[in-house]
Amino acid sequence: MVADFAAFSDRGVHIDQDCDPLFGRNLIMLRGSRWRTMRAALTPAFSASRCRSMAPLMAVCARNLHIHLRERVRQDTELDVDEISTAYVNDVIASCAFGFATDSLQDPHNCIFRLAKRAVVQDTTQIMKFFGYENMKTIMQLLKVKIIKSSDAEQFGELFKSALRARRGGATPRPDFIQTLVDAAGKTASGAENFADDDLVAQAVLFYIAGYDTTANLINYFLYEMATNPTTQEKLQSELDQLPGSQEDKEAYDNVQGLEYLDMCVCEVLRLWPLVGAADRRSVARYDFGPSQPDGNTHFVAEAGVHIWLPVYSLHRDARYWVDPHQCDPERFSSTNKHKILPYTYMPFGTGPRHCIGSRFATTAAKVFLSQFLRHYSVSGGSSRKLDPRAFILRPKDGFTLTVTPRNNNI
Ligand code: HEM
């Protein structure tokens, strides 16, 4: 992933843009020099300063959602937190990547939310398509099997291109992904502006493909761990209670960055539930791992084209590296303890040049939501720890229903 990246620079499953013109163009699927150029062009859109400017957009989404949530909790305290987190993450991505305002808890039928749910569906058919591309690539290519339906791809394209046209035509600037692309035009020789609009649409849809289920489930698992670890929840709420009563949206990034215990809890939840349970690479050149036995002459060699899985979930729960690995203990990530973590035993966002480009965006979005939510509500209940065996992204088998109780802190 790091030192020998040159030999393992591709991901395991590749879907060509000739087969799926939208999915095949996204950064995850790209290879070789096309990946390198796109990665370099997109990196500024995920920088700390870009996340700082997008955090107020996230804060608006969180605030809108809390207004409806207050009503819901008055009627029923048993809530499916997945419904809340997916609505919030949809609003964040619609606003930050597509420049659209949506209010998905109030209006779950908005067109971008419907498209998003279809694009990231994890049903048996979708899993079979990836299995097909892994094992019967030629047949899949001949049949041009698409991950994203053509009609959905067209709608995504229309939405994004209409926003892009408006911004290029001088519409009021917003600190979002589209603006980064428009502002970059003319500034550099290798920036995103040198790509066709279809390539840019694919990167906006990437927020849904890579960022929707992952970020929503980070929020879900976070609330689930708080519900089952009340002492941790109380300690976090004491930290949140120190925040000023009314907060300016423009300070959203600095406010959440200053919350040390929240960060420790996010890191611990990502250790227990790394969402992407295994990262992968494909060898692009013959690679010698060295002797397969300490004293043996036989070498363990991967020829070019071998698909390798990196077991992130297992590493995160291995008793050789973590004391009490199944226990939620945010103190592992305190400033005094975190340097004790062995390199490469903790990698919820992967590592090396192909690590997750959206990690800062995802954690900022989750923290903006969680800091507001847990200031106003406490969660309890939640007993399922079984994983859904069919899901790409970790999710519990029995859903995410929790009891949500308003706190009496007059905020
Ligand atoms: C909690 C949320 C998230 C988690 C846990 C997560 C995790 C991961 C992991 C484990 C990888 C593989 C890294 C590797 O192979 O070394 C990855 C790749 C990637 N992620 Fe995320 N991700 C999250 C959110 C996001 C978001 C919001 C985006 C926004 C666009 C995003 C975009 C990507 C992309 C583009 C890649 C592929 C990078 C490349 O191949 O160059 N992710 N993510």
Side-chain angles (χ1 to χ4, degrees):
M1 293 172 106
V2 183
D4 295 313
F5 179 72
F8 296 97
S9 55
D10 284 356
R11 291 202 179 279
V13 179
H14 176 73
I15 297 170
D16 218 281
Q17 68 181 63
D18 293 340
C19 306
D20 187 327
L22 184 60
F23 196 83
R25 275 187 161 89
N26 79 44
L27 185 65
I28 305 179
M29 285 298 123
L30 296 182
R31 298 189 293 192
S33 61
R34 273 180 63 78
W35 166 76
R36 207 163 290 110
T37 318
M38 183 60 87
R39 175 99 196 185
L42 290 182
T43 298
F46 294 94
S47 67
S49 75
R50 270 289 146 185
C51 281
R52 174 177 275 109
S53 50
M54 284 192 272
L57 303 177
M58 299 170 181
V60 171
C61 300
R63 196 151 24 79
N64 286 343
L65 190 128
H66 280 292
I67 296 169
H68 310 305
L69 201 54
R70 210 177 295 150
E71 283 309 308
R72 289 269 178 111
V73 174
R74 265 192 210 127
Q75 289 155 23
D76 190 1
T77 54
E78 294 285 300
L79 293 186
D80 175 3
V81 291
D82 188 57
E83 188 194 339
I84 299 163
S85 64
T86 49
Y88 167 68
V89 174
N90 180 65
D91 291 352
V92 165
I93 298 180
S95 173
C96 295
F98 285 81
F100 283 95
T102 51
D103 194 349
S104 305
L105 197 60
Q106 175 76 342
D107 169 25
H109 303 296
N110 69 69
C111 109
I112 200 156
F113 199 18
R114 275 189 284 124
L115 279 174
K117 285 182 183 162
R118 288 206 292 268
V120 299
V121 68
Q122 294 190 37
D123 60 8
T124 311
T125 317
Q126 199 74 326
I127 290 173
M128 290 310 287
K129 288 182 193 169
F130 280 101
F131 182 81
Y133 271 108
E134 160 95 56
N135 296 296
M136 305 174 287
K137 197 166 178 179
T138 320
I139 298 174
M140 299 295 279
Q141 277 172 330
L142 271 173
L143 297 174
K144 296 200 170 192
V145 176
K146 293 186 176 52
I147 300 296
I148 298 180
K149 261 177 42 188
S150 305
S151 54
D152 291 348
E154 265 168 41
Q155 283 189 58
F156 267 130
E158 276 164 26
L159 281 171
F160 185 80
K161 284 178 193 171
S162 70
L164 193 60
R165 265 195 310 273
R167 222 58 80 71
R168 282 174 178 154
T172 317
R174 281 174 96 247
D176 54 18
F177 181 63
I178 298 187
Q179 200 67 42
T180 315
L181 304 178
V182 172
D183 291 349
K187 280 194 192 155
T188 64
S190 63
E193 73 282 5
N194 291 327
F195 294 98
D197 284 358
D198 283 339
D199 287 309
L200 302 182
V201 174
Q203 312 319 317
V205 174
L206 180 70
F207 276 80
Y208 278 113
I209 292 163
Y212 171 82
D213 247 9
T214 45
T215 312
N217 278 302
L218 167 57
I219 292 174
N220 292 340
Y221 275 115
F222 192 101
L223 292 176
Y224 170 76
E225 285 301 332
M226 293 303 121
T228 43
N229 295 281
T231 321
T232 306
Q233 179 170 207
E234 276 162 31
K235 187 166 174 188
L236 175 58
Q237 286 172 327
S238 323
E239 181 180 65
L240 299 178
D241 289 345
Q242 308 304 313
L243 285 169
S246 67
Q247 293 172 48
E248 297 274 342
D249 288 342
K250 65 176 186 318
E251 284 160 14
Y253 188 77
D254 294 316
N255 280 338
V256 294
Q257 287 303 311
L259 298 167
E260 192 191 350
Y261 196 65
L262 176 64
D263 186 61
M264 287 160 59
C265 293
V266 168
C267 291
E268 177 64 343
V269 170
L270 283 169
R271 182 189 68 81
L272 286 165
W273 308 106
L275 289 333
V276 180
D280 69 342
R281 295 287 185 273
R282 195 175 284 278
S283 52
V284 293
R286 189 173 194 271
Y287 183 83
D288 188 343
F289 283 91
S292 51
Q293 301 288 331
D295 51 356
N297 294 324
T298 321
H299 279 221
F300 180 37
V301 173
E303 297 300 334
V306 172
H307 189 179
I308 293 178
W309 287 98
L310 302 134
V312 177
Y313 180 91
S314 310
L315 284 167
H316 285 193
R317 289 190 179 240
D318 193 321
R320 284 174 294 179
Y321 312 126
W322 307 93
V323 178
D324 254 340
H326 304 300
Q327 188 58 40
C328 175
D329 178 10
E331 295 304 323
R332 302 177 205 272
F333 294 92
S334 69
S335 49
T336 44
N337 288 337
K338 65 180 173 197
H339 69 274
K340 296 178 200 155
I341 298 170
L342 270 177
Y344 309 116
T345 57
Y346 179 70
M347 40 182 185
F349 295 107
T351 189
R354 279 207 97 136
H355 74 274
C356 175
I357 202 170
S359 58
R360 195 183 282 113
F361 179 90
T363 48
T364 305
K367 286 177 180 179
V368 166
F369 174 84
L370 290 165
S371 59
Q372 289 204 30
F373 184 89
L374 287 165
R375 276 184 101 194
H376 295 91
Y377 303 101
S378 294
V379 281
S380 54
S383 52
S384 167
R385 282 182 187 253
K386 282 190 214 129
L387 289 171
D388 182 346
R390 282 194 319 171
F392 293 135
I393 305 298
L394 301 191
R395 55 166 59 249
K397 196 164 173 289
D398 304 319
F400 273 111
T401 302
L402 295 178
T403 306
V404 178
T405 321
R407 296 179 68 216
N408 292 323
N409 54 3
N410 296 324
I411 294 170

